Amino acid sequence: MTTTPAPPARRLPSPWWWTAAAVLLGVHVLAWRGTDFSLTALIQGRHGMATFISDAFPLDLDWAEVLGPSLEAAAVTLYIGLLGTTLSIPSALVLAVLAARSSGYGAASYQAARSVLSFLRAVPDVVFALIFVTAVGLGPFAGVLALIAHNTGVMGKLWAEAMEESDPGPREALRVLGASRLRTVLHAVLPTVLPQFVGLLLYRFDVNVRSSLVLGLIGAGGIGFLINQSIKLFRFDEMATHILVVLVLVIAVDQLSALVRRRIAA
């Protein structure tokens, strides 16, 4: 007669897990109070939201006054996101090479490049836009400069991490043959990570188009500027039209990015 083995005893969570859960709960309580989060206030404000939505419909689709300028401003928003992405490629690539251990440029350049990338990522693009507005004035140019600065930090870090995760075989082979650091990067590292680079670049383009909308709210041009104007003038029907144009723009950019990524992966 065989006896079935007893099921293993369940192990209770370690005290560390209980401590982490308690700390996480405490932080959420502090966040709830610090942000004045209140479902009651949201429910009490439903009448104001209902009035806001009712004023936004029907949409104002007047071509000369609303829809035409909205489409032109959406094109400017797209241009800001495009230039902010593509013009940051050289600086992001140089900093990524220096900030990747696989490039072999030494600890000093690694730390310096990482520090620069951390600074550019830490400063939001909105803050950069406010700084550049004081330098070049209101308009899309300030938005482009802001995106170049911030996107260099974000994309440089993403590219550096992709380079560090690349296959070490090709670069080690070139180093054994006596190739310089630059040749190793150009002929061994970059070719192996090029698809990842393009995918990350398209992702950042998608994000930057959305960011350029927010930059327009502070005077950096584009359709965000029109949305801000409509809100200030209480023309919520115009605002809803602008938001609809933004929705179409974002969907089109997203579909285009997805199509290119699929072609690259194929």
Side-chain angles (χ1 to χ4, degrees):
M1 179 179 179
T2 59
T3 58
T4 57
R10 289 187 175 181
R11 297 179 59 183
L12 296 176
S14 64
W16 185 90
W17 285 105
W18 291 113
T19 304
V23 170
L24 185 62
L25 178 61
V27 171
H28 275 78
V29 171
L30 293 175
W32 187 287
R33 295 178 178 176
T35 57
D36 296 327
F37 192 92
S38 173
L39 295 176
T40 302
L42 178 62
I43 296 173
Q44 291 175 349
R46 66 185 185 277
H47 300 294
M49 289 189 296
T51 302
F52 179 84
I53 294 174
S54 63
D55 290 341
F57 293 95
L59 304 180
D60 188 346
L61 298 177
D62 181 81
W63 177 261
E65 298 293 333
V66 181
L67 190 55
S70 182
L71 293 175
E72 293 178 3
V76 173
T77 296
L78 179 64
Y79 300 154
I80 295 173
L82 177 64
L83 292 180
T85 303
T86 56
L87 296 183
S88 64
I89 292 176
S91 55
L93 183 58
V94 171
L95 288 172
V97 170
L98 296 176
R101 295 186 187 275
S102 58
S103 62
Y105 274 93
S109 61
Y110 173 84
Q111 294 297 337
R114 286 279 175 171
S115 299
V116 173
L117 291 176
S118 297
F119 169 75
L120 295 176
R121 290 197 321 276
V123 179
D125 47 18
V126 175
V127 176
F128 275 126
L130 292 173
I131 295 173
F132 286 120
V133 161
T134 63
V136 301
L138 298 173
F141 185 34
V144 172
L145 294 176
L147 287 182
I148 290 174
H150 184 71
N151 194 64
T152 295
V154 176
M155 202 158 60
K157 180 178 184 298
L158 295 174
W159 282 358
E161 291 179 348
M163 292 171 64
E164 289 187 345
E165 296 172 359
S166 63
D167 184 9
R171 63 174 181 265
E172 292 298 332
L174 285 182
R175 286 174 182 171
V176 169
L177 295 175
S180 64
R181 294 172 181 173
L182 181 58
R183 287 184 178 275
T184 301
V185 171
L186 292 177
H187 298 289
V189 179
L190 293 181
T192 60
V193 297
L194 186 58
Q196 293 174 269
F197 273 28
V198 176
L200 292 170
L201 182 66
L202 290 172
Y203 165 72
R204 287 304 305 171
F205 171 60
D206 194 12
V207 172
N208 286 335
V209 170
R210 292 172 170 83
S211 298
S212 61
L213 167 65
V214 179
L215 297 181
L217 297 175
I218 60 171
I223 197 169
F225 181 72
L226 295 184
I227 293 175
N228 192 28
Q229 278 189 322
S230 299
I231 293 175
K232 288 181 178 179
L233 296 174
F234 299 99
R235 293 298 309 271
F236 300 128
D237 52 347
E238 290 184 5
M239 179 210 67
T241 301
H242 299 324
I243 291 177
L244 178 62
V245 172
V246 169
L247 177 62
V248 174
L249 174 64
V250 169
I251 292 176
V253 171
D254 183 62
Q255 292 298 319
L256 177 62
S257 298
L259 176 61
V260 176
R261 283 194 294 266
R262 285 196 300 268
R263 291 294 179 88
I264 294 174

